[in-house]
Amino acid sequence: MNEKVSSKEKLIITASKLFQQQGYHATGLNQITKESGAPKGSLYYHFPDGKEQLALESIQLTTEFVARQIEEGLKQSDNPVIAIQHFISMIADRFQKEGHQQGVPIAAVALETSLISDELRKGCQEAYRKFQNLFAQKLVSGGFVEERAEQLAVVINSMIEGAFLLSFTYGDSRPLRLVAEEIPHVLRMED
Amino acid sequence: MNEKVSSKEKLIITASKLFQQQGYHATGLNQITKESGAPKGSLYYHFPDGKEQLALESIQLTTEFVARQIEEGLKQSDNPVIAIQHFISMIADRFQKEGHQQGVPIAAVALETSLISDELRKGCQEAYRKFQNLFAQKLVSGGFVEERAEQLAVVINSMIEGAFLLSFTYGDSRPLRLVAEEIPHVLRMED
DNA sequence: ATATATATAGACCAATCGGTATAATTTTTA
DNA sequence: TAAAAATTATACCGATTGGTCTATATATAT
């Protein structure tokens, strides 16, 4: 029963955190190995393609983590409006509590790497698609026609990502909270 | 009459472009001096505080540039809804035409540096505030009460920034176009 | 013309970057 | 237990990073 965290897992977990906080280029492999406790020799054994491969798998871990948070938040209500508002409030609360030292998931890596690595660009694209699909599903189960649900999911995704970026830069959760308040009108269900 | 572009200006112009395309950490001072034609000696003469100072002034140049684009777009109509929609369409068109090789203004630097440099964080904050104020002004002149206009401006700013990020990552202007279509409902003026 | 700022030129610095090499070790299989 | 496979440990690599230094021009004054 090998239940302890493997070196590979430790590397991915640490890298995910650092890439989110510092971005791709500011995060060195030496820092990742040092903070994870795994040696550099292990890094290139488990990730023979180097930093890019490690970043890709880190993005995928972050994607799963965020997706689970979205699912958790959305199951709070059958009403898509209330559910999505609840999820955004969740983000805003956590953002406020943790002193916004965590960065914005995916976004930094997406902006830094999309033009230099198609692999990483696709990884980030896949992340956003997953988030989008979760919102779309919720809207469909709330009565929206599928095509319309997908369109609205893109808009909701944009609002959240943009508000997250603004809240991060301002150091203030207000943009996230204001966006949450407008969800009913985007979904055309007056409150 | 010294009308030729000074070394300082060349450095800022080149740095603005590179920071937007590649982000802060991926852009080296050697690359900036090389592409601008200005020598490294000049860099530390004009920017004694180094990369951070150059980045701050670059952000400010980008801010002015984008602000002018917003003003240009918004003056297209007295109706805030149509004006804002027109501006977003402008972005989407340019994005599509230029093969999205330009990056997202401000955002990358904001995400990369906000946690490590309060100066740069404030510079990016100032950028977003300027954009926000232009939208808010337009809404006020369109009949919105000031406080409400400011709230909606934050939301519109979020939608645009988020959609820009998604369009960039997808390599597709669709998120921007979908967000434009939802502007009437956010401003509660049915089309 | 001469003195004085202003600006340029580019060699140089320690530190760090991503990445490689190989030997030693641990774990698994036979 | 012996052989084989998986993993770890470092020392090391050239290249590049942001930043410094001093000598040399180029203007702008007096």
Side-chain angles (χ1 to χ4, degrees), chain B residues 7 39-42 45-46:
Chain B
S7 282
K40 198 160 191 175
S42 302
Y45 175 77
H46 294 294

mmCIF file with all atom_site columns, all heavy atoms in Angstrom, chain B residues 7 39-42 45-46, chain C residues 6-12:
data_model
loop_
_atom_site.group_PDB
_atom_site.id
_atom_site.type_symbol
_atom_site.label_atom_id
_atom_site.label_alt_id
_atom_site.label_comp_id
_atom_site.label_asym_id
_atom_site.label_entity_id
_atom_site.label_seq_id
_atom_site.pdbx_PDB_ins_code
_atom_site.Cartn_x
_atom_site.Cartn_y
_atom_site.Cartn_z
_atom_site.occupancy
_atom_site.B_iso_or_equiv
_atom_site.pdbx_formal_charge
_atom_site.auth_seq_id
_atom_site.auth_comp_id
_atom_site.auth_asym_id
_atom_site.auth_atom_id
_atom_site.pdbx_PDB_model_num
ATOM 1   N N     . SER B 1 7  ? 15.642 58.203 -27.603 1.00 0.00 ? 7  SER B N     1
ATOM 2   C CA    . SER B 1 7  ? 15.945 56.844 -27.160 1.00 0.00 ? 7  SER B CA    1
ATOM 3   C C     . SER B 1 7  ? 14.981 56.399 -26.076 1.00 0.00 ? 7  SER B C     1
ATOM 4   O O     . SER B 1 7  ? 14.519 55.265 -26.061 1.00 0.00 ? 7  SER B O     1
ATOM 5   C CB    . SER B 1 7  ? 17.376 56.776 -26.627 1.00 0.00 ? 7  SER B CB    1
ATOM 6   O OG    . SER B 1 7  ? 18.307 56.737 -27.665 1.00 0.00 ? 7  SER B OG    1
ATOM 7   N N     . PRO B 1 39 ? 20.881 51.628 -26.875 1.00 0.00 ? 39 PRO B N     1
ATOM 8   C CA    . PRO B 1 39 ? 21.874 50.820 -26.185 1.00 0.00 ? 39 PRO B CA    1
ATOM 9   C C     . PRO B 1 39 ? 21.541 50.663 -24.708 1.00 0.00 ? 39 PRO B C     1
ATOM 10  O O     . PRO B 1 39 ? 20.759 51.429 -24.143 1.00 0.00 ? 39 PRO B O     1
ATOM 11  C CB    . PRO B 1 39 ? 23.146 51.633 -26.353 1.00 0.00 ? 39 PRO B CB    1
ATOM 12  C CG    . PRO B 1 39 ? 22.667 53.036 -26.423 1.00 0.00 ? 39 PRO B CG    1
ATOM 13  C CD    . PRO B 1 39 ? 21.307 53.012 -27.061 1.00 0.00 ? 39 PRO B CD    1
ATOM 14  N N     . LYS B 1 40 ? 22.137 49.654 -24.109 1.00 0.00 ? 40 LYS B N     1
ATOM 15  C CA    . LYS B 1 40 ? 21.834 49.333 -22.729 1.00 0.00 ? 40 LYS B CA    1
ATOM 16  C C     . LYS B 1 40 ? 22.257 50.469 -21.792 1.00 0.00 ? 40 LYS B C     1
ATOM 17  O O     . LYS B 1 40 ? 21.618 50.710 -20.773 1.00 0.00 ? 40 LYS B O     1
ATOM 18  C CB    . LYS B 1 40 ? 22.562 48.052 -22.328 1.00 0.00 ? 40 LYS B CB    1
ATOM 19  C CG    . LYS B 1 40 ? 21.978 47.412 -21.094 1.00 0.00 ? 40 LYS B CG    1
ATOM 20  C CD    . LYS B 1 40 ? 22.360 45.962 -21.010 1.00 0.00 ? 40 LYS B CD    1
ATOM 21  C CE    . LYS B 1 40 ? 21.568 45.243 -19.950 1.00 0.00 ? 40 LYS B CE    1
ATOM 22  N NZ    . LYS B 1 40 ? 21.862 43.807 -19.940 1.00 0.00 ? 40 LYS B NZ    1
ATOM 23  N N     . GLY B 1 41 ? 23.343 51.114 -22.143 1.00 0.00 ? 41 GLY B N     1
ATOM 24  C CA    . GLY B 1 41 ? 23.789 52.237 -21.326 1.00 0.00 ? 41 GLY B CA    1
ATOM 25  C C     . GLY B 1 41 ? 22.698 53.284 -21.192 1.00 0.00 ? 41 GLY B C     1
ATOM 26  O O     . GLY B 1 41 ? 22.511 53.890 -20.125 1.00 0.00 ? 41 GLY B O     1
ATOM 27  N N     . SER B 1 42 ? 21.964 53.502 -22.281 1.00 0.00 ? 42 SER B N     1
ATOM 28  C CA    . SER B 1 42 ? 20.894 54.508 -22.250 1.00 0.00 ? 42 SER B CA    1
ATOM 29  C C     . SER B 1 42 ? 19.748 54.061 -21.356 1.00 0.00 ? 42 SER B C     1
ATOM 30  O O     . SER B 1 42 ? 19.090 54.882 -20.712 1.00 0.00 ? 42 SER B O     1
ATOM 31  C CB    . SER B 1 42 ? 20.368 54.738 -23.663 1.00 0.00 ? 42 SER B CB    1
ATOM 32  O OG    . SER B 1 42 ? 21.413 55.149 -24.511 1.00 0.00 ? 42 SER B OG    1
ATOM 33  N N     . TYR B 1 45 ? 20.328 54.965 -17.950 1.00 0.00 ? 45 TYR B N     1
ATOM 34  C CA    . TYR B 1 45 ? 20.403 56.416 -17.793 1.00 0.00 ? 45 TYR B CA    1
ATOM 35  C C     . TYR B 1 45 ? 18.982 56.989 -17.695 1.00 0.00 ? 45 TYR B C     1
ATOM 36  O O     . TYR B 1 45 ? 18.682 57.783 -16.812 1.00 0.00 ? 45 TYR B O     1
ATOM 37  C CB    . TYR B 1 45 ? 21.148 57.043 -18.973 1.00 0.00 ? 45 TYR B CB    1
ATOM 38  C CG    . TYR B 1 45 ? 21.146 58.536 -18.936 1.00 0.00 ? 45 TYR B CG    1
ATOM 39  C CD1   . TYR B 1 45 ? 21.976 59.236 -18.073 1.00 0.00 ? 45 TYR B CD1   1
ATOM 40  C CD2   . TYR B 1 45 ? 20.263 59.255 -19.745 1.00 0.00 ? 45 TYR B CD2   1
ATOM 41  C CE1   . TYR B 1 45 ? 21.955 60.612 -18.020 1.00 0.00 ? 45 TYR B CE1   1
ATOM 42  C CE2   . TYR B 1 45 ? 20.234 60.635 -19.693 1.00 0.00 ? 45 TYR B CE2   1
ATOM 43  C CZ    . TYR B 1 45 ? 21.077 61.311 -18.833 1.00 0.00 ? 45 TYR B CZ    1
ATOM 44  O OH    . TYR B 1 45 ? 21.041 62.673 -18.782 1.00 0.00 ? 45 TYR B OH    1
ATOM 45  N N     . HIS B 1 46 ? 18.113 56.524 -18.587 1.00 0.00 ? 46 HIS B N     1
ATOM 46  C CA    . HIS B 1 46 ? 16.742 57.043 -18.596 1.00 0.00 ? 46 HIS B CA    1
ATOM 47  C C     . HIS B 1 46 ? 15.846 56.379 -17.554 1.00 0.00 ? 46 HIS B C     1
ATOM 48  O O     . HIS B 1 46 ? 14.852 56.963 -17.126 1.00 0.00 ? 46 HIS B O     1
ATOM 49  C CB    . HIS B 1 46 ? 16.132 56.854 -19.987 1.00 0.00 ? 46 HIS B CB    1
ATOM 50  C CG    . HIS B 1 46 ? 16.792 57.667 -21.047 1.00 0.00 ? 46 HIS B CG    1
ATOM 51  N ND1   . HIS B 1 46 ? 16.737 59.040 -21.071 1.00 0.00 ? 46 HIS B ND1   1
ATOM 52  C CD2   . HIS B 1 46 ? 17.550 57.320 -22.111 1.00 0.00 ? 46 HIS B CD2   1
ATOM 53  C CE1   . HIS B 1 46 ? 17.418 59.500 -22.115 1.00 0.00 ? 46 HIS B CE1   1
ATOM 54  N NE2   . HIS B 1 46 ? 17.924 58.480 -22.762 1.00 0.00 ? 46 HIS B NE2   1
ATOM 55  P P     . DT  C 2 6  ? 21.388 67.831 -17.330 1.00 0.00 ? 6  DT  C P     1
ATOM 56  O OP1   . DT  C 2 6  ? 20.139 68.609 -17.417 1.00 0.00 ? 6  DT  C OP1   1
ATOM 57  O OP2   . DT  C 2 6  ? 21.667 66.975 -16.167 1.00 0.00 ? 6  DT  C OP2   1
ATOM 58  O "O5'" . DT  C 2 6  ? 21.539 66.952 -18.652 1.00 0.00 ? 6  DT  C "O5'" 1
ATOM 59  C "C5'" . DT  C 2 6  ? 21.363 67.578 -19.914 1.00 0.00 ? 6  DT  C "C5'" 1
ATOM 60  C "C4'" . DT  C 2 6  ? 21.626 66.591 -21.028 1.00 0.00 ? 6  DT  C "C4'" 1
ATOM 61  O "O4'" . DT  C 2 6  ? 23.048 66.306 -21.127 1.00 0.00 ? 6  DT  C "O4'" 1
ATOM 62  C "C3'" . DT  C 2 6  ? 20.941 65.218 -20.850 1.00 0.00 ? 6  DT  C "C3'" 1
ATOM 63  O "O3'" . DT  C 2 6  ? 20.153 64.969 -21.993 1.00 0.00 ? 6  DT  C "O3'" 1
ATOM 64  C "C2'" . DT  C 2 6  ? 22.104 64.232 -20.704 1.00 0.00 ? 6  DT  C "C2'" 1
ATOM 65  C "C1'" . DT  C 2 6  ? 23.216 64.947 -21.450 1.00 0.00 ? 6  DT  C "C1'" 1
ATOM 66  N N1    . DT  C 2 6  ? 24.606 64.573 -21.062 1.00 0.00 ? 6  DT  C N1    1
ATOM 67  C C2    . DT  C 2 6  ? 25.472 64.114 -22.038 1.00 0.00 ? 6  DT  C C2    1
ATOM 68  O O2    . DT  C 2 6  ? 25.163 63.987 -23.204 1.00 0.00 ? 6  DT  C O2    1
ATOM 69  N N3    . DT  C 2 6  ? 26.742 63.799 -21.579 1.00 0.00 ? 6  DT  C N3    1
ATOM 70  C C4    . DT  C 2 6  ? 27.207 63.915 -20.285 1.00 0.00 ? 6  DT  C C4    1
ATOM 71  O O4    . DT  C 2 6  ? 28.356 63.609 -20.011 1.00 0.00 ? 6  DT  C O4    1
ATOM 72  C C5    . DT  C 2 6  ? 26.246 64.404 -19.325 1.00 0.00 ? 6  DT  C C5    1
ATOM 73  C C7    . DT  C 2 6  ? 26.652 64.557 -17.901 1.00 0.00 ? 6  DT  C C7    1
ATOM 74  C C6    . DT  C 2 6  ? 25.005 64.702 -19.749 1.00 0.00 ? 6  DT  C C6    1
ATOM 75  P P     . DA  C 2 7  ? 19.172 63.720 -22.045 1.00 0.00 ? 7  DA  C P     1
ATOM 76  O OP1   . DA  C 2 7  ? 18.070 64.005 -22.981 1.00 0.00 ? 7  DA  C OP1   1
ATOM 77  O OP2   . DA  C 2 7  ? 18.882 63.326 -20.645 1.00 0.00 ? 7  DA  C OP2   1
ATOM 78  O "O5'" . DA  C 2 7  ? 20.091 62.611 -22.726 1.00 0.00 ? 7  DA  C "O5'" 1
ATOM 79  C "C5'" . DA  C 2 7  ? 20.532 62.824 -24.063 1.00 0.00 ? 7  DA  C "C5'" 1
ATOM 80  C "C4'" . DA  C 2 7  ? 21.642 61.853 -24.403 1.00 0.00 ? 7  DA  C "C4'" 1
ATOM 81  O "O4'" . DA  C 2 7  ? 22.723 61.999 -23.464 1.00 0.00 ? 7  DA  C "O4'" 1
ATOM 82  C "C3'" . DA  C 2 7  ? 21.260 60.370 -24.345 1.00 0.00 ? 7  DA  C "C3'" 1
ATOM 83  O "O3'" . DA  C 2 7  ? 21.130 59.909 -25.687 1.00 0.00 ? 7  DA  C "O3'" 1
ATOM 84  C "C2'" . DA  C 2 7  ? 22.423 59.698 -23.601 1.00 0.00 ? 7  DA  C "C2'" 1
ATOM 85  C "C1'" . DA  C 2 7  ? 23.479 60.800 -23.531 1.00 0.00 ? 7  DA  C "C1'" 1
ATOM 86  N N9    . DA  C 2 7  ? 24.350 60.765 -22.361 1.00 0.00 ? 7  DA  C N9    1
ATOM 87  C C8    . DA  C 2 7  ? 24.027 61.078 -21.070 1.00 0.00 ? 7  DA  C C8    1
ATOM 88  N N7    . DA  C 2 7  ? 25.030 60.988 -20.223 1.00 0.00 ? 7  DA  C N7    1
ATOM 89  C C5    . DA  C 2 7  ? 26.094 60.570 -21.014 1.00 0.00 ? 7  DA  C C5    1
ATOM 90  C C6    . DA  C 2 7  ? 27.441 60.290 -20.737 1.00 0.00 ? 7  DA  C C6    1
ATOM 91  N N6    . DA  C 2 7  ? 27.965 60.378 -19.511 1.00 0.00 ? 7  DA  C N6    1
ATOM 92  N N1    . DA  C 2 7  ? 28.226 59.915 -21.778 1.00 0.00 ? 7  DA  C N1    1
ATOM 93  C C2    . DA  C 2 7  ? 27.688 59.833 -23.006 1.00 0.00 ? 7  DA  C C2    1
ATOM 94  N N3    . DA  C 2 7  ? 26.444 60.073 -23.396 1.00 0.00 ? 7  DA  C N3    1
ATOM 95  C C4    . DA  C 2 7  ? 25.695 60.443 -22.342 1.00 0.00 ? 7  DA  C C4    1
ATOM 96  P P     . DT  C 2 8  ? 20.779 58.401 -25.968 1.00 0.00 ? 8  DT  C P     1
ATOM 97  O OP1   . DT  C 2 8  ? 20.043 58.355 -27.253 1.00 0.00 ? 8  DT  C OP1   1
ATOM 98  O OP2   . DT  C 2 8  ? 20.214 57.808 -24.750 1.00 0.00 ? 8  DT  C OP2   1
ATOM 99  O "O5'" . DT  C 2 8  ? 22.231 57.796 -26.218 1.00 0.00 ? 8  DT  C "O5'" 1
ATOM 100 C "C5'" . DT  C 2 8  ? 23.033 58.355 -27.253 1.00 0.00 ? 8  DT  C "C5'" 1
ATOM 101 C "C4'" . DT  C 2 8  ? 24.362 57.634 -27.303 1.00 0.00 ? 8  DT  C "C4'" 1
ATOM 102 O "O4'" . DT  C 2 8  ? 25.061 57.797 -26.043 1.00 0.00 ? 8  DT  C "O4'" 1
ATOM 103 C "C3'" . DT  C 2 8  ? 24.278 56.124 -27.553 1.00 0.00 ? 8  DT  C "C3'" 1
ATOM 104 O "O3'" . DT  C 2 8  ? 25.150 55.825 -28.613 1.00 0.00 ? 8  DT  C "O3'" 1
ATOM 105 C "C2'" . DT  C 2 8  ? 24.723 55.510 -26.221 1.00 0.00 ? 8  DT  C "C2'" 1
ATOM 106 C "C1'" . DT  C 2 8  ? 25.686 56.575 -25.725 1.00 0.00 ? 8  DT  C "C1'" 1
ATOM 107 N N1    . DT  C 2 8  ? 25.941 56.591 -24.265 1.00 0.00 ? 8  DT  C N1    1
ATOM 108 C C2    . DT  C 2 8  ? 27.199 56.327 -23.796 1.00 0.00 ? 8  DT  C C2    1
ATOM 109 O O2    . DT  C 2 8  ? 28.134 56.059 -24.531 1.00 0.00 ? 8  DT  C O2    1
ATOM 110 N N3    . DT  C 2 8  ? 27.335 56.392 -22.419 1.00 0.00 ? 8  DT  C N3    1
ATOM 111 C C4    . DT  C 2 8  ? 26.349 56.696 -21.507 1.00 0.00 ? 8  DT  C C4    1
ATOM 112 O O4    . DT  C 2 8  ? 26.584 56.732 -20.317 1.00 0.00 ? 8  DT  C O4    1
ATOM 113 C C5    . DT  C 2 8  ? 25.046 56.960 -22.070 1.00 0.00 ? 8  DT  C C5    1
ATOM 114 C C7    . DT  C 2 8  ? 23.909 57.285 -21.171 1.00 0.00 ? 8  DT  C C7    1
ATOM 115 C C6    . DT  C 2 8  ? 24.906 56.893 -23.402 1.00 0.00 ? 8  DT  C C6    1
ATOM 116 P P     . DA  C 2 9  ? 24.886 54.507 -29.460 1.00 0.00 ? 9  DA  C P     1
ATOM 117 O OP1   . DA  C 2 9  ? 25.034 54.889 -30.871 1.00 0.00 ? 9  DA  C OP1   1
ATOM 118 O OP2   . DA  C 2 9  ? 23.654 53.860 -28.993 1.00 0.00 ? 9  DA  C OP2   1
ATOM 119 O "O5'" . DA  C 2 9  ? 26.113 53.587 -29.078 1.00 0.00 ? 9  DA  C "O5'" 1
ATOM 120 C "C5'" . DA  C 2 9  ? 27.441 54.102 -29.164 1.00 0.00 ? 9  DA  C "C5'" 1
ATOM 121 C "C4'" . DA  C 2 9  ? 28.372 53.291 -28.289 1.00 0.00 ? 9  DA  C "C4'" 1
ATOM 122 O "O4'" . DA  C 2 9  ? 28.205 53.694 -26.916 1.00 0.00 ? 9  DA  C "O4'" 1
ATOM 123 C "C3'" . DA  C 2 9  ? 28.108 51.782 -28.300 1.00 0.00 ? 9  DA  C "C3'" 1
ATOM 124 O "O3'" . DA  C 2 9  ? 29.145 51.162 -29.039 1.00 0.00 ? 9  DA  C "O3'" 1
ATOM 125 C "C2'" . DA  C 2 9  ? 28.090 51.386 -26.820 1.00 0.00 ? 9  DA  C "C2'" 1
ATOM 126 C "C1'" . DA  C 2 9  ? 28.661 52.616 -26.122 1.00 0.00 ? 9  DA  C "C1'" 1
ATOM 127 N N9    . DA  C 2 9  ? 28.151 52.840 -24.773 1.00 0.00 ? 9  DA  C N9    1
ATOM 128 C C8    . DA  C 2 9  ? 26.875 53.170 -24.413 1.00 0.00 ? 9  DA  C C8    1
ATOM 129 N N7    . DA  C 2 9  ? 26.703 53.331 -23.119 1.00 0.00 ? 9  DA  C N7    1
ATOM 130 C C5    . DA  C 2 9  ? 27.954 53.086 -22.582 1.00 0.00 ? 9  DA  C C5    1
ATOM 131 C C6    . DA  C 2 9  ? 28.432 53.102 -21.254 1.00 0.00 ? 9  DA  C C6    1
ATOM 132 N N6    . DA  C 2 9  ? 27.669 53.375 -20.203 1.00 0.00 ? 9  DA  C N6    1
ATOM 133 N N1    . DA  C 2 9  ? 29.742 52.817 -21.061 1.00 0.00 ? 9  DA  C N1    1
ATOM 134 C C2    . DA  C 2 9  ? 30.510 52.540 -22.132 1.00 0.00 ? 9  DA  C C2    1
ATOM 135 N N3    . DA  C 2 9  ? 30.167 52.507 -23.423 1.00 0.00 ? 9  DA  C N3    1
ATOM 136 C C4    . DA  C 2 9  ? 28.865 52.790 -23.588 1.00 0.00 ? 9  DA  C C4    1
ATOM 137 P P     . DG  C 2 10 ? 28.814 49.723 -29.640 1.00 0.00 ? 10 DG  C P     1
ATOM 138 O OP1   . DG  C 2 10 ? 29.716 49.519 -30.798 1.00 0.00 ? 10 DG  C OP1   1
ATOM 139 O OP2   . DG  C 2 10 ? 27.369 49.558 -29.794 1.00 0.00 ? 10 DG  C OP2   1
ATOM 140 O "O5'" . DG  C 2 10 ? 29.319 48.799 -28.441 1.00 0.00 ? 10 DG  C "O5'" 1
ATOM 141 C "C5'" . DG  C 2 10 ? 30.603 49.050 -27.888 1.00 0.00 ? 10 DG  C "C5'" 1
ATOM 142 C "C4'" . DG  C 2 10 ? 30.738 48.372 -26.541 1.00 0.00 ? 10 DG  C "C4'" 1
ATOM 143 O "O4'" . DG  C 2 10 ? 29.998 49.086 -25.521 1.00 0.00 ? 10 DG  C "O4'" 1
ATOM 144 C "C3'" . DG  C 2 10 ? 30.219 46.921 -26.463 1.00 0.00 ? 10 DG  C "C3'" 1
ATOM 145 O "O3'" . DG  C 2 10 ? 31.143 46.164 -25.743 1.00 0.00 ? 10 DG  C "O3'" 1
ATOM 146 C "C2'" . DG  C 2 10 ? 28.938 47.068 -25.659 1.00 0.00 ? 10 DG  C "C2'" 1
ATOM 147 C "C1'" . DG  C 2 10 ? 29.415 48.122 -24.676 1.00 0.00 ? 10 DG  C "C1'" 1
ATOM 148 N N9    . DG  C 2 10 ? 28.386 48.725 -23.844 1.00 0.00 ? 10 DG  C N9    1
ATOM 149 C C8    . DG  C 2 10 ? 27.068 48.960 -24.165 1.00 0.00 ? 10 DG  C C8    1
ATOM 150 N N7    . DG  C 2 10 ? 26.394 49.507 -23.188 1.00 0.00 ? 10 DG  C N7    1
ATOM 151 C C5    . DG  C 2 10 ? 27.313 49.637 -22.154 1.00 0.00 ? 10 DG  C C5    1
ATOM 152 C C6    . DG  C 2 10 ? 27.164 50.157 -20.853 1.00 0.00 ? 10 DG  C C6    1
ATOM 153 O O6    . DG  C 2 10 ? 26.159 50.625 -20.325 1.00 0.00 ? 10 DG  C O6    1
ATOM 154 N N1    . DG  C 2 10 ? 28.356 50.094 -20.136 1.00 0.00 ? 10 DG  C N1    1
ATOM 155 C C2    . DG  C 2 10 ? 29.533 49.592 -20.620 1.00 0.00 ? 10 DG  C C2    1
ATOM 156 N N2    . DG  C 2 10 ? 30.574 49.620 -19.789 1.00 0.00 ? 10 DG  C N2    1
ATOM 157 N N3    . DG  C 2 10 ? 29.690 49.108 -21.839 1.00 0.00 ? 10 DG  C N3    1
ATOM 158 C C4    . DG  C 2 10 ? 28.543 49.160 -22.553 1.00 0.00 ? 10 DG  C C4    1
ATOM 159 P P     . DA  C 2 11 ? 31.716 44.759 -26.305 1.00 0.00 ? 11 DA  C P     1
ATOM 160 O OP1   . DA  C 2 11 ? 32.303 45.012 -27.632 1.00 0.00 ? 11 DA  C OP1   1
ATOM 161 O OP2   . DA  C 2 11 ? 30.637 43.767 -26.145 1.00 0.00 ? 11 DA  C OP2   1
ATOM 162 O "O5'" . DA  C 2 11 ? 32.892 44.391 -25.283 1.00 0.00 ? 11 DA  C "O5'" 1
ATOM 163 C "C5'" . DA  C 2 11 ? 33.843 45.380 -24.923 1.00 0.00 ? 11 DA  C "C5'" 1
ATOM 164 C "C4'" . DA  C 2 11 ? 34.023 45.433 -23.406 1.00 0.00 ? 11 DA  C "C4'" 1
ATOM 165 O "O4'" . DA  C 2 11 ? 32.884 46.086 -22.792 1.00 0.00 ? 11 DA  C "O4'" 1
ATOM 166 C "C3'" . DA  C 2 11 ? 34.131 44.057 -22.742 1.00 0.00 ? 11 DA  C "C3'" 1
ATOM 167 O "O3'" . DA  C 2 11 ? 35.154 44.110 -21.751 1.00 0.00 ? 11 DA  C "O3'" 1
ATOM 168 C "C2'" . DA  C 2 11 ? 32.755 43.855 -22.116 1.00 0.00 ? 11 DA  C "C2'" 1
ATOM 169 C "C1'" . DA  C 2 11 ? 32.391 45.281 -21.733 1.00 0.00 ? 11 DA  C "C1'" 1
ATOM 170 N N9    . DA  C 2 11 ? 30.951 45.516 -21.619 1.00 0.00 ? 11 DA  C N9    1
ATOM 171 C C8    . DA  C 2 11 ? 30.001 45.308 -22.583 1.00 0.00 ? 11 DA  C C8    1
ATOM 172 N N7    . DA  C 2 11 ? 28.778 45.622 -22.198 1.00 0.00 ? 11 DA  C N7    1
ATOM 173 C C5    . DA  C 2 11 ? 28.942 46.060 -20.895 1.00 0.00 ? 11 DA  C C5    1
ATOM 174 C C6    . DA  C 2 11 ? 28.030 46.530 -19.938 1.00 0.00 ? 11 DA  C C6    1
ATOM 175 N N6    . DA  C 2 11 ? 26.723 46.646 -20.162 1.00 0.00 ? 11 DA  C N6    1
ATOM 176 N N1    . DA  C 2 11 ? 28.526 46.882 -18.723 1.00 0.00 ? 11 DA  C N1    1
ATOM 177 C C2    . DA  C 2 11 ? 29.835 46.760 -18.506 1.00 0.00 ? 11 DA  C C2    1
ATOM 178 N N3    . DA  C 2 11 ? 30.792 46.341 -19.328 1.00 0.00 ? 11 DA  C N3    1
ATOM 179 C C4    . DA  C 2 11 ? 30.275 45.996 -20.517 1.00 0.00 ? 11 DA  C C4    1
ATOM 180 P P     . DC  C 2 12 ? 35.694 42.742 -21.076 1.00 0.00 ? 12 DC  C P     1
ATOM 181 O OP1   . DC  C 2 12 ? 37.083 42.988 -20.645 1.00 0.00 ? 12 DC  C OP1   1
ATOM 182 O OP2   . DC  C 2 12 ? 35.368 41.615 -21.991 1.00 0.00 ? 12 DC  C OP2   1
ATOM 183 O "O5'" . DC  C 2 12 ? 34.786 42.611 -19.783 1.00 0.00 ? 12 DC  C "O5'" 1
ATOM 184 C "C5'" . DC  C 2 12 ? 34.919 43.565 -18.724 1.00 0.00 ? 12 DC  C "C5'" 1
ATOM 185 C "C4'" . DC  C 2 12 ? 33.789 43.399 -17.733 1.00 0.00 ? 12 DC  C "C4'" 1
ATOM 186 O "O4'" . DC  C 2 12 ? 32.541 43.722 -18.364 1.00 0.00 ? 12 DC  C "O4'" 1
ATOM 187 C "C3'" . DC  C 2 12 ? 33.601 41.974 -17.200 1.00 0.00 ? 12 DC  C "C3'" 1
ATOM 188 O "O3'" . DC  C 2 12 ? 34.186 41.889 -15.902 1.00 0.00 ? 12 DC  C "O3'" 1
ATOM 189 C "C2'" . DC  C 2 12 ? 32.077 41.784 -17.142 1.00 0.00 ? 12 DC  C "C2'" 1
ATOM 190 C "C1'" . DC  C 2 12 ? 31.532 43.143 -17.567 1.00 0.00 ? 12 DC  C "C1'" 1
ATOM 191 N N1    . DC  C 2 12 ? 30.263 43.076 -18.358 1.00 0.00 ? 12 DC  C N1    1
ATOM 192 C C2    . DC  C 2 12 ? 29.080 43.515 -17.779 1.00 0.00 ? 12 DC  C C2    1
ATOM 193 O O2    . DC  C 2 12 ? 29.100 43.939 -16.626 1.00 0.00 ? 12 DC  C O2    1
ATOM 194 N N3    . DC  C 2 12 ? 27.918 43.460 -18.499 1.00 0.00 ? 12 DC  C N3    1
ATOM 195 C C4    . DC  C 2 12 ? 27.940 42.989 -19.755 1.00 0.00 ? 12 DC  C C4    1
ATOM 196 N N4    . DC  C 2 12 ? 26.794 42.968 -20.426 1.00 0.00 ? 12 DC  C N4    1
ATOM 197 C C5    . DC  C 2 12 ? 29.144 42.543 -20.362 1.00 0.00 ? 12 DC  C C5    1
ATOM 198 C C6    . DC  C 2 12 ? 30.275 42.595 -19.636 1.00 0.00 ? 12 DC  C C6    1
#
